[in-house]
Amino acid sequence: MCGIVGITGFLPVNQSIYDALTVLQHRGQDAAGICTIDSMNCFRLRKANGLVSDVFEARHMQRLQGNMGIGHVRYPTAGSSSASEAQPFYVNSPYGITLAHNGNLTNAHELRSRLFEHGRRHVNTTSDSEVLLNIFAQELDRFQDYPLSADNIFAAVESLHKQVRGAYAVVSMIIGHGMVAFRDPNGIRPLVLGKRVLPDQRVEYMVASESVALDTLGFEFIRDVAPGEAVYITEKGQLSTRQCAENPKCNPCLFEYVYFARPDSFLDKISVYSARVRMGTKLGEKIAREWEDLDIDVVIPIPETSTDVALEIARILDKPYRQGFVKNRYVGRTFIMPGQQMRRSAVRRKLNANRAEFRDKNVLLVDDSIVRGTTSEQIIEMAREAGAKKVYLASAAPEVRFPNVYGIDMPSVTELIAHGREVNEICQLIKADALIFQDLKDLVAAVREENPEITQFDCSVFDGIYVTKDVDQGYLDYLQSLRNDDAMAIARQTETENLELHNEG
Ligand SMILES: O=P(O)(O)OC[C@H]1O[C@H](OP(=O)(O)OP(=O)(O)O)[C@H](O)[C@@H]1O
Ligand SMILES: NC(=O)CC[C@H](N)C(=O)O
Ligand SMILES: [Mg+2]
């Protein structure tokens, strides 16, 4: 997953974009970037590998001048993790465009060849996002006028939707024009729009992956950008929006609600926090039904994402809720770290047991999801080392059995602990005394309750159904060979940096 943000304003945006990226940091920890347009109509760019706080030093911030800008935090799902594939990306024609993307294109390979052979455009990185930028540029290039009209820009997005497949929430800037943001026709990845009225009544606009970024910056939430819709805000602050897809559907990614998004965000009219509480209600009821005989002394969350679910389970079961694990606040999210070795070693650095909560007790540990089993296996071991008698585990999401192709880096089924395994086998592998998963229908109901207009979520990691309907075994095999942990480890050793636009070093 990645986080994106864009602001069109009348005051310098560098600090606001920086602040927005810090509240979207949970969506991507590998790289960060900001691009602004200065008063001379030139892009100013700083992007590098690392956390937001590491990438931007005071000298970079000073140079990121201008009243319009976009930003990105990256969790790679395509290409390499080299700094040259950090975002935003830049292309110099037409007019000069930069773009930041959250999601993953499933036909990037084909688009890249088409761009080269028919569009005579070379993409110098292995990033799908740079391919997306070039498709956008190519479509804008069909209009020869200056300036491009809003109609031209929307027509370009319309044509882009017809060629590009997969998931994409995008924010982009065109020199001499303004900011363009759009969302794929299935609305797989989130995107929200907000505004801030200045004392002189001028209106600044912001788009971001999650509403929490609007809250933090004092922007008022207007609405979610609709699936397939494009938003264009001119340099002068004129907003226009248009539906650019022929047959848009709202199929948001269910895993956003389980794990990715911050609880204080609202995505597609659903509070992530409330959805998690309802996941706890459903799972608590299932535990009460199916584990009547188990003697649970205490409910303990596996920090951090599962805490809201665990608290509700404790309430349903009428058992004490205790913070049995202490989280090291300086270690980030482990699931989105690159490479299994790094993920494994991070769990123990991140979490430590409060022995008093485990000694001689039967503990029910709660996690939001079990994906590779990296966390649960080690946590159960730690609970036993801390003196637990029995260790039970509950997961607020069902078994993750299928790869993700829409922006979560889970390309390889063999790395998924639940792939080809039943609950009792998984239970044995992670050495729990009992294991229970949420049912998919309950998870969907928990999330959907607040917005019943959503008739289908992207649940592909749970049921193998890909909402774009174009993902076949051939593509999954290709993805697996390209991006499995071993292949990525080799790629990381041979990475080179190749930064295309002047980047403030
Ligand atoms: O089975 P696994 O492959 O270990 O993946 C699942 C775990 O990873 C995530 O935690 P993470 O540490 O990334 O973030 P959190 O602090 O937000 O819970 C998630 O919340 C689960 O705990
Ligand atoms: N997780 C994401 O949204 C990734 C965006 C893009 N595919 C990249 O790898 O940079
Ligand atoms: Mg976790």
Side-chain angles (χ1 to χ4, degrees), residues 259 302-306 334 350 367-368 375:
Y259 168 69
I302 300 176
E304 174 167 347
T305 301
S306 68
T334 55
K350 174 168 167 169
D367 212 344
D368 52 87
T375 310

Side-chain angles (χ1 to χ4, degrees), residues 392-467:
Y392 311 125
L393 179 63
S395 163
E399 298 90 317
V400 172
R401 294 209 159 101
F402 301 91
N404 187 285
V405 301
Y406 299 133
I408 309 177
D409 198 29
M410 284 163 31
S412 178
V413 282
T414 52
E415 290 163 17
L416 305 175
I417 195 166
H419 174 71
R421 293 195 181 95
E422 290 309 318
V423 179
N424 59 338
E425 295 172 284
I426 306 166
C427 185
Q428 272 176 17
L429 266 183
I430 60 175
K431 302 192 180 69
D433 291 296
L435 171 65
I436 195 162
F437 287 94
Q438 180 100 265
D439 294 332
L440 182 54
K441 67 168 183 16
D442 284 345
L443 175 60
V444 170
V447 178
R448 190 168 173 247
E449 193 172 309
E450 242 167 293
N451 184 0
E453 282 173 19
I454 300 178
T455 51
Q456 190 188 358
F457 287 87
D458 165 51
C459 310
S460 50
V461 296
F462 306 118
D463 62 11
I465 298 170
Y466 296 90
V467 291

